[in-house]
Amino acid sequence: MNKEKLNELTIGEAARALRLPDGSQARVTVRELWDACIEAAKAKNPELNAYLEIFDADEAAIADAQKRINEEGDKAPLLCGIPLAIKDNILIEGHIASAASRMLENYRATYDATVIEKLRVAGALFIGRTNMDEFAMGSSTEHSAFVKTRNPHDPARVPGGSSGGSAAAVAAHMAIAALGTDTGGSIRQPAALTGLVGLKPTYGEVSRSGAIAMGSSLDQIGPLAKTAEDAKIIFDTIRGVDPLDSTTIPDGLYPVQKVGLKLRIGVPRALLGDNVTADVRAAFDATLERLVQAGHTLVDIELPTSAHSLAAYYVIMPAEVSTNLARLDGIRYGHAVRGATLLDDYLLSRTEGFGEETRRRILLGTFVLSSGYIDAYYRKAHAARDVLRHEYNEAFKKVDVIAFPTTLSPAFKFGEKSDPISMYLEDIFTVTANLTGMPALSTPMGTVEREGKQLPIGIHFTAPHQAEETLFTIASLVEHSA
Amino acid sequence: MATTEEVKKLAALARITIADEELTTKTAQGGSSDAAEAAFRKFTSEFDAILAYVGQLEELELPEGLVGEKPALRNIFRDDAEPYPARTFTEKITAQFPARSGDALLVKQIISHE
């Protein structure tokens, strides 16, 4: 094993190297793995801005992880001693959790998010908190109040968003894997644009306790990782019923999906239309063709209401955003400005604390929930959501997974999508899974060339509720067919 | 479609300001209030474009009978029991207060006896 590139290992590879017999030349210590990641993080962060903060080494946690591997060997959890990057909207006790907003710039988490607690129990280590679009609103990480994260594959381009810092950290080997959050595509779209596997779990599979809420009926925490195996290791560790989040669900709440060795892949060709860039479409078709060569079948499906998913999403999500962010008023914590009256205190704190995109979405949410508009917008979108779920459930009677390209095109340049709607269209294929609550995953499907640079793109699969296993299976098939 | 007055009204309902904020930043950067007004008009026109986009929902015809189908996921109430021992989080939470007096949060007086 090349000990100079330990930070480039997958979780699976690192876990094996950590467990080699004492005295073996290739045996890696937790300390060596930590040092390799932290050195890469410190060396690359000034250019890439993946991290908002790189933490000091937690010596006790490093020593504990090593002791556990020495004593328990293969019985130690696979994440024991693995350095991870954590998105800045997930609470780690004692650390700042700012959601990349001025509003929470100095907010120090008073408790661990449930996912953090579960990762600690497994012995995982935390390298730092990663940059994101403010309150997870955006698809490029350009809406961070602090810095712009660059795409490691081409620093002139964005890494996607909103979990762009987590994506850049893993893609540039500044962490072995990372956690992100996904409200409309915020794990899967940056995973696609940086060449990673990104999973949005079934709504309720992973506790949201300790995640700074954006759209509470849509948000899920999930992994960004180098392989499907790694994504599964993290998902298996963080999932499960949590008394602190009453929307978490028990195993088997939904009927168990039975799949054969050969998968039936649904392709909604009508929805792909002319919007997908030609070379992305060609890569999508070629990836599906390889799966057909391996004996899997393609099935044409129709999901007519999906054409309106993004419109429904841009009603429901801002409605929830405006409600959730109402708690940030400058009174109890966060950015606090004092004016002449109590109303001024609210107005000044919120106006200074929130960036433009956040204010835009708060306003949209206020609009769609206001008397006179709530039926035409919010209630209609809510009804569309029921129909979408029904259409997908019907489709899953004929197919095991549904495939889309994750995005219409590869990573774009800074400032290229300054018009809000062009930015929102980045999530056109990903938002539906948040509306239906179904699990969805993006995995790399090669690269396309832009200005002499090879840029990664992703293929996106949706499965029925609680059928994450099928997603890991098909992602592995794609990985090994490339 | 939204007028600038409507946007200002929505902003007031949401307890944020759009125009004033743009005004402050632009003036701070050495710009004029004309620039602030232009920025506000841009915000309003982008807001209109988004409303036009989500307005697609109006033409969407939904099949009868599906609306109100109960999802498998149900919300629940938590038992009002097993509280944390007193003061477990008091210090951590009060440390976040912008202004405090002991364990109490200090805010402006809003009721007077005059």
Side-chain angles (χ1 to χ4, degrees):
Chain A
M1 175 145 328
N2 182 351
K3 285 211 175 184
E4 281 172 15
K5 291 191 173 174
L6 296 179
N7 54 314
E8 295 184 15
L9 298 177
T10 65
I11 296 173
E13 290 164 350
R16 284 186 281 279
L18 287 165
R19 285 161 182 75
L20 288 173
D22 219 357
S24 153
Q25 280 259 304
R27 179 183 162 100
V28 170
T29 65
V30 174
R31 184 84 228 181
E32 288 169 332
L33 185 63
W34 169 269
D35 285 345
C37 290
I38 210 87
E39 275 165 30
K42 285 182 175 162
K44 293 176 184 175
N45 208 48
E47 187 200 1
L48 296 178
N49 286 320
Y51 289 98
L52 287 173
E53 185 189 356
I54 298 170
F55 300 150
D56 291 334
D58 181 343
E59 298 295 346
I62 292 173
D64 282 352
Q66 187 64 58
K67 186 161 172 266
R68 202 157 158 198
I69 288 169
N70 295 347
E71 287 172 3
E72 296 173 30
D74 289 343
K75 289 199 179 108
L78 287 167
L79 283 175
C80 192
I82 304 292
L84 303 175
I86 306 294
K87 191 176 180 180
D88 191 36
N89 60 349
I90 299 172
L91 271 53
I92 306 177
E93 189 181 339
H95 284 288
I96 302 272
S98 79
S101 177
R102 297 259 173 244
M103 179 57 90
L104 294 174
E105 191 172 4
N106 296 313
Y107 171 71
R108 215 165 266 282
T110 50
Y111 61 99
D112 273 340
T114 297
V115 292
I116 294 298
E117 204 178 293
K118 284 175 182 279
L119 290 174
R120 279 194 208 281
V121 169
L125 307 171
F126 308 118
I127 293 202
R129 53 190 181 92
T130 54
N131 195 26
M132 55 187 281
D133 287 294
E134 183 179 17
F135 288 106
M137 294 185 228
S139 307
S140 68
T141 314
E142 288 169 291
H143 294 314
S144 165
F146 304 118
V147 286
K148 287 189 184 6
T149 300
R150 295 178 182 278
N151 190 319
H153 295 272
D154 178 359
R157 292 171 189 271
V158 303
S162 66
S163 309
S166 286
V170 181
H173 306 292
M174 303 154 78
I176 302 292
L179 287 189
T181 61
D182 189 314
T183 305
S186 280
I187 288 174
R188 293 161 285 156
Q189 184 257 12
L193 301 194
T194 57
L196 301 175
V197 177
L199 170 74
K200 182 208 79 84
T202 304
Y203 184 79
E205 271 294 315
V206 178
S207 170
R208 291 175 296 113
S209 175
I212 297 173
M214 176 185 164
S216 300
S217 77
L218 306 157
D219 297 341
Q220 273 291 286
I221 297 171
L224 289 115
K226 294 171 192 168
T227 62
E229 182 197 13
D230 283 8
K232 177 173 158 55
I233 291 169
I234 293 180
F235 171 69
D236 287 345
T237 306
I238 61 175
R239 61 177 293 276
V241 172
D242 178 13
L244 297 177
D245 174 0
S246 11
T247 61
T248 50
I249 56 178
D251 287 351
L253 177 70
Y254 296 96
V256 177
Q257 186 193 35
K258 292 193 185 73
V259 295
L261 285 174
K262 299 301 176 194
L263 295 173
R264 300 166 301 165
I265 303 161
V267 186
R269 297 198 189 273
L271 291 168
L272 301 179
D274 304 326
N275 296 323
V276 183
T277 318
D279 50 4
V280 172
R281 178 62 192 263
F284 177 71
D285 290 339
T287 304
L288 292 178
E289 181 52 33
R290 281 200 302 278
L291 291 169
V292 170
Q293 294 298 324
H296 308 284
T297 50
L298 302 186
V299 181
D300 282 332
I301 55 166
E302 288 188 21
L303 301 162
T305 308
S306 269
H308 287 83
S309 283
L310 194 66
Y313 176 78
Y314 268 91
V315 171
I316 290 170
M317 176 273 295
E320 296 185 8
V321 162
S322 70
T323 313
N324 269 322
L325 299 193
R327 82 191 64 177
L328 298 165
D329 55 9
I331 300 298
R332 291 155 299 154
Y333 57 94
H335 191 71
V337 188
R338 293 295 171 253
T341 66
L342 183 65
L343 182 61
D344 287 340
D345 292 358
Y346 297 143
L347 284 169
L348 292 169
S349 300
R350 287 167 63 78
T351 301
E352 280 188 26
F354 293 138
E356 186 183 21
E357 181 62 21
T358 302
R359 282 181 284 131
R360 193 195 320 280
R361 296 202 197 181
I362 290 174
L363 238 58
L364 268 174
T366 309
F367 177 81
V368 299
L369 291 175
S370 60
S371 143
Y373 296 103
I374 190 166
D375 283 322
Y377 289 94
Y378 185 72
R379 296 211 172 97
K380 184 74 179 276
H382 208 74
R385 194 174 182 177
D386 287 347
V387 175
L388 273 172
R389 191 186 306 112
H390 181 80
E391 278 179 11
Y392 266 72
N393 279 331
E394 287 298 305
F396 282 127
K397 289 176 181 167
K398 292 189 293 183
V399 301
D400 301 315
V401 292
I402 293 170
F404 277 98
T406 310
T407 57
L408 301 170
S409 43
F412 47 94
K413 290 189 169 172
F414 292 93
E416 194 177 309
K417 295 188 193 286
S418 56
D419 157 49
I421 292 177
S422 68
M423 186 73 85
Y424 299 170
L425 286 168
E426 273 295 295
D427 292 333
I428 192 158
F429 294 142
T430 52
V431 293
T432 311
N434 301 79
L435 291 169
T436 63
M438 289 163 182
L441 169 148
S442 176
T443 195
M445 60 166 184
T447 57
V448 292
E449 191 178 311
R450 293 288 182 279
E451 298 176 356
K453 299 263 168 84
Q454 293 298 321
L455 302 176
I457 49 173
I459 184 167
H460 183 274
F461 297 102
T462 309
H465 292 106
Q466 292 189 304
E468 278 84 356
E469 287 305 320
T470 311
L471 295 178
F472 296 130
T473 302
I474 191 140
S476 289
L477 289 168
V478 172
E479 218 166 273
H480 296 117
S481 77
Chain B
M1 289 290 99
T3 63
T4 52
E5 283 315 304
E6 282 166 329
V7 169
K8 280 180 184 162
K9 184 173 172 241
L10 283 172
L13 287 171
R15 291 184 166 161
I16 48 179
T17 40
I18 302 295
D20 294 353
E21 197 274 345
E22 299 294 350
L23 192 70
T24 342
T25 43
K26 299 286 169 187
T27 323
Q29 288 160 8
S32 65
S33 62
D34 285 353
E37 206 40 52
F40 185 71
R41 274 201 304 277
K42 179 165 173 278
F43 187 94
T44 306
S45 82
E46 285 169 351
F47 193 75
D48 264 344
I50 298 166
L51 290 185
Y53 184 84
V54 301
Q56 289 176 21
L57 279 178
E58 276 181 65
E59 66 205 45
L60 174 65
E61 285 182 27
L62 297 174
E64 297 285 323
L66 289 175
V67 177
E69 201 178 64
K70 280 188 184 166
L73 186 67
R74 311 300 299 160
N75 208 350
I76 56 149
F77 287 101
R78 200 178 298 163
D79 286 343
D80 187 12
E82 295 176 53
Y84 292 109
R87 305 201 66 78
T88 308
F89 293 103
T90 308
E91 194 43 48
K92 284 178 189 160
I93 289 170
T94 52
Q96 304 283 337
F97 289 171
R100 63 190 278 199
S101 167
D103 287 345
L105 170 66
L106 272 186
V107 291
K108 280 200 174 69
Q109 184 176 349
I110 53 167
I111 299 170
S112 77
H113 299 288
E114 286 160 17

